[in-house]
Amino acid sequence: MTGSEAPSSFRLAYVPGVTPTKWVRIWNERLPGTPLTLVGVPAAEAAGLLRDGGADAGFVRLPIDRTDLSAIPLYTETTVVVVPKDHAATAVEEMSAEDLAEEIVLHPLDDTLGWERPPGLPALERPATTADAVELVAAGVGLLVVPQSLARLNHRKDLTYRPLAGAPESRIALAWPEEKTTDLVEEFIGIVRGRTVNSTRGRAPTPPQPKARRAEKKSGAPRKPAPGKSSRGGSGGAKNPKGGAKRGKPRRRP
């Protein structure tokens, strides 16, 4: 349903790795009177936050339970392996799961890739967070497989990453409570989808103006033919019933 009354602000949740800066800027340009508040949330808690009313919409990582949430998939991220800069993997442009067979691969509790079976050798303990796992990679404990945005978010000068072929990928989506599809949610959907101001759902597009006829545009209403002239543009002389032209009376001779 569409809300009739707009709230005083719009709350937008986002999970680690998502950068909503561009969309927030467009929002502020189009709706300067409606502040947008950003709410950072761990990936595992994003769906619950939306259901509990903690945000009007949010960028989440799929999959999520869509029982009462609507979601629009936006893009898929590249999966990468985070390694120390002096690791042998830096000599290649891309890695595979076979390259990790003899490596300890950290599998944090907040993993977003949904592995059926993570590659490599398991560590003795699972790190609590991706940030903790990155610190362990820097300490030489093992390697880490994550979406590329998380590798960038947790960047360190002594670490780098390489794409991992054949690995699960993380998808980012815009989600919101299905029963709370307000006008402001529709506005934000339009921004994310790249709609223009006039085409954004919820805004009435400017109606096209009818084209005036050239004749009316140049000279207004059509002119009436002058008395004694044919409307078809004849010679201008009136014709007698027999079709000949009228003749004047002959002059009298003196």
Side-chain angles (χ1 to χ4, degrees), residues 64-81:
I64 59 170
D65 181 4
R66 298 198 193 185
T67 302
D68 53 356
L69 295 178
S70 296
I72 302 173
L74 300 177
Y75 58 90
T76 301
E77 290 197 71
T78 300
T79 301
V80 301
V81 183

Side-chain angles (χ1 to χ4, degrees), residues 44-65:
E45 301 175 14
L49 180 74
L50 293 173
R51 289 190 175 94
D52 294 340
D56 300 292
F59 293 106
V60 303
R61 290 189 182 274
L62 299 178
I64 59 170
D65 181 4

Side-chain angles (χ1 to χ4, degrees), residues 14 21 29 35 42 46 52 58 78 95 100 103 115 119-121 135 142 165 175 180 183 187 194 199 216 242 247:
Y14 67 101
T21 308
E29 291 173 354
D52 294 340
T78 300
M95 300 181 67
L100 301 175
E103 300 278 0
W115 294 96
L121 304 173
E135 295 297 323
K180 297 181 180 179
D183 290 339
E187 289 283 357
S199 64
E216 295 177 359
K242 295 183 178 180
R247 298 180 180 177

